[in-house]
Amino acid sequence: MSGASERILRIRSAIAIAAMLAAWEIVGRFELIANGAFPAPTAILSGLWADSDLYWRHISASVRSASLGFVIGNVIAVLMAVLFVQFPATERLMSGINITLFAMPLIAVVPVLVLAFDGSTPQVVLAAVAVYYPTMSSMLLGLRNVDDRLVDAIRGFGGGSLAILRRVRLRAALPALTIGLRTAAPAAVLGSLLAEFGSGSRWGLGTFLLGSLGAGDPARLWGIGLVATGIAGVGYGVFALVAKVTTRQVASETLATSPVPASGSREEHPVTRFLYALASLIVALGAWQLLLAVIDLNPILTRSPVGVVRFLFTEDGSGEARARLVTALGETLPAVFWGLAAGLVAAFVFAVVLTLLPSVGRSVLPFALISQTMPLVAFTPLIALVFGRGAWTTIVVTISVTFFPSFVTIAQGLAMTPRRAVDVVQIYGGSKLTVLRLVSVPSAVPYLLAAARLAAPRALLGVMVAEWLATGRGLGNLLNESRGRLDFGMIWSVAAVSVVVAIALYRVFVAIDQMVMKRYLGG
Amino acid sequence: MGSTETVASGLSVASVSRTFSVKGSTVRALEEATLAAPLGSFTALIGPSGCGKSTLLRLLSGLDRPDSGELRIGDRSPDQVRLAGGIGIVFQDPALLPWRTVVGNISLPLQVKGDSVSEARDRIHSLIELVGLKGFEKAHPGQLSGGMRQRVAIARALVTEPSVLLLDEPFGALDEILRRTMNEELQRIWMERRPTAVLVTHSVEEAVFLADQVAVMAKQPGRVLDTIEIPFERPRRASLVRSPEFRAVADHLSEKLFGPT
């Protein structure tokens, strides 16, 4: 694209933003929507200014715990990635834990963390948990995705796997690591906010948000939401910049030629595979047991894996506990399904329509990227203010957490529509719509599937947050209630069941993906 | 054939110019290019990168328009011929849709045009046989080798029974050994259907082996320097490449391209 048209594009998006702000100001001034749920931008700003002392104390508390968790989580993530690449079997043994940390709805373990730790430790721990997976997976990909020829060269000089790690892998993984950190920074903010739910800590934006829920001051809710987004956005921006620099330095021709070795895809005896799966499950449950031993809490407060099973199946009142859990699941799962489906369909349609209007698409994509850094929790009360405390709020929250990441994934897929295939259709007089129907939409299907896989755990988190904060139904609410009633068995059970549900959801989408792709590409 | 047809019913390119502006500077991709190809003939365009051969092919396909000059296919414009399904094109990248089978990929042009695929079933199957892919009708591109994928692309280009076949370095991504086989195959396929063919290539041997005439192009600005007739009888055999006559023509062409040694 030439410089002139880029400038026009920039001017156009500036005008669009200005128009949006102006419209928002008018809507806010005259309380046009939902009785003032959209206060004017100037009202939000003046609220921020008036309470700036208060904001600062909450902000610094959140930033402190998020940063500490960010550092701890990332150090662990990098060390684990190195371990996995040096000893591939460890990755398979740890896969149960890794997938748990990827799919787990963070909010499910908040009450457990609050039971186990004092002060701001839950926030730090949850921030660390939130950053682990994005950094670890990115780093691992970077460590593995090195040029085979470089590896052979080091071997040729007599170097072992440690020399390869030191001379090639670590350096080559730098861009991937920074990209992982870029995703991890907003995740750390989200983790530290969520951990303040019911933590009783005085300072922090999550505490501030909960405390402002009943105040009926939309300007403050907006203020907190925007400030949280700002912090997450700054974290993202800093590492995006670092990522840009490192990517430029390493982007030489010899790199990124060899495909990622697919460690799981090689032919293997089903028994071996089953044993590995079993071992990874045992490792995950063992880690749970080990953590309990390390924390060394009063046994009344904790439940081991066996303890959860007893609570739900053999103890007195297990029938009643089970019934409550099943009822909650019956409320949560349909919401996850509908929210996820709506979010994915909307993202798909939006992405496809934007390929017909490429200039609009180019100006929307940056916003979509930024919106991914938004800590959704912070906006849930506002959504509840507009849509009420019923099912609509749950659906809207879920759509908003699934829509943008799915949109970005699908839009990137559509952007990679093979240029020549488009030419072929145009040769025979095919219109833009024909290109869309015959080429773009089908070629976006794999990206839709990938988006579904990634969005499913987010959808569960979105539903549970909405349930906790607004609707008073489902797993999220059960968790909140059990916390209030000091029903420790239920707290641990809901956490465990949510994790199992999240993993099952993810597995279902992986299976669908494999099935569809097999048909799609023949085989 | 060729001899009894007039040039007017083949392809004609008359003083065609096309410039592009890239980041503020102007690139003269083609300047006053002139070329004529009789109906049913085979023309090769050869020249260094940036000599405008792919631009010329794109203009002939009707996907792009010249700034000045005129292109005709028979008595119609490339655009008219294209919309009537009269043009088939093969790129270096076979550009197959990975989610469609061989039959599905070959049917694509018919679906775009709105023609019935079921009525064309026999034609599609005889094309699959023609390009040597019998037995692979239900295979997906991911299951085929590079040469086989390019065969599918050729069949797809022929499915509308075009009068013009455009080939943009169709075998550029294949290795030398496979490339020679594909050249022989292409000659056979082309001789069965006899569309007016234009091939863009970097290879002197490929041009001499396949073409009735070779247009030598130069860059900055892109233009047609000279057109050389290739006299060999058809069908040409693979052994022809080793004959002194072939080498003489190839050397003559190289001299035009690289200057006298």
Side-chain angles (χ1 to χ4, degrees), chain A residues 357-377:
Chain A
L357 312 160
S359 66
V360 179
R362 274 198 300 273
S363 45
V364 169
L365 205 55
F367 291 111
L369 282 171
I370 292 167
S371 72
Q372 284 200 81
T373 70
M374 278 187 171
L376 70 114
V377 222

Side-chain angles (χ1 to χ4, degrees), chain A residues 122-159:
Chain A
Q123 287 92 300
V124 176
V125 172
L126 202 61
V129 165
V131 302
Y132 169 81
Y133 191 84
T135 303
M136 187 279 294
S137 57
S138 209
M139 180 77 187
L140 189 58
L141 196 71
L143 288 170
R144 290 235 167 97
N145 196 10
V146 295
D147 194 329
D148 286 337
R149 287 168 296 177
L150 288 177
V151 172
D152 286 347
I154 302 281
R155 283 227 179 86
F157 302 137

Side-chain angles (χ1 to χ4, degrees), chain B residues 17-186:
Chain B
S17 299
R18 181 78 174 96
T19 56
F20 297 104
S21 56
V22 181
K23 301 213 162 173
S25 68
T26 319
V27 177
R28 289 184 291 168
L30 270 182
E31 197 161 85
E32 299 278 316
T34 296
L35 184 70
L39 187 72
S41 68
F42 200 122
T43 303
L45 306 177
I46 195 166
S49 297
C51 71
K53 36 188 203 305
S54 288
T55 304
L56 182 52
L57 208 74
R58 215 173 152 75
L59 291 170
L60 282 169
S61 75
L63 283 178
D64 192 15
R65 269 163 233 272
D67 299 325
S68 64
E70 196 185 32
L71 298 106
R72 305 300 282 178
I73 297 172
D75 52 4
R76 291 186 295 172
S77 74
D79 227 23
Q80 287 169 323
V81 178
R82 172 173 73 90
L83 293 177
I87 289 178
I89 193 160
V90 181
F91 303 104
Q92 178 173 339
D93 166 6
L96 303 178
L97 302 179
W99 54 89
R100 287 183 170 225
T101 60
V102 167
V103 171
N105 268 291
I106 298 174
S107 316
L108 179 72
L110 302 173
Q111 285 174 304
V112 175
K113 283 183 67 197
D115 293 355
S116 159
V117 175
S118 53
E119 275 172 31
R121 255 188 55 202
D122 292 345
R123 198 179 344 140
I124 292 170
H125 283 277
S126 74
L127 268 172
I128 289 175
E129 209 162 325
L130 178 68
V131 299
L133 285 177
K134 204 166 159 48
F136 291 94
E137 288 85 352
K138 297 263 177 294
H140 281 77
Q143 300 162 311
L144 302 177
S145 68
M148 290 161 96
R149 284 182 211 163
Q150 207 51 283
R151 288 168 193 263
V152 178
I154 292 170
R156 181 180 62 191
L158 293 173
V159 74
T160 58
E161 306 192 308
S163 55
V164 176
L165 178 63
L166 304 174
L167 304 141
D168 193 352
E169 297 187 48
F171 310 130
L174 305 183
D175 65 68
E176 181 65 27
I177 296 165
L178 187 54
R179 188 176 185 148
R180 287 203 185 188
T181 319
M182 290 303 289
N183 281 339
E184 272 187 87
E185 287 283 290
L186 178 60

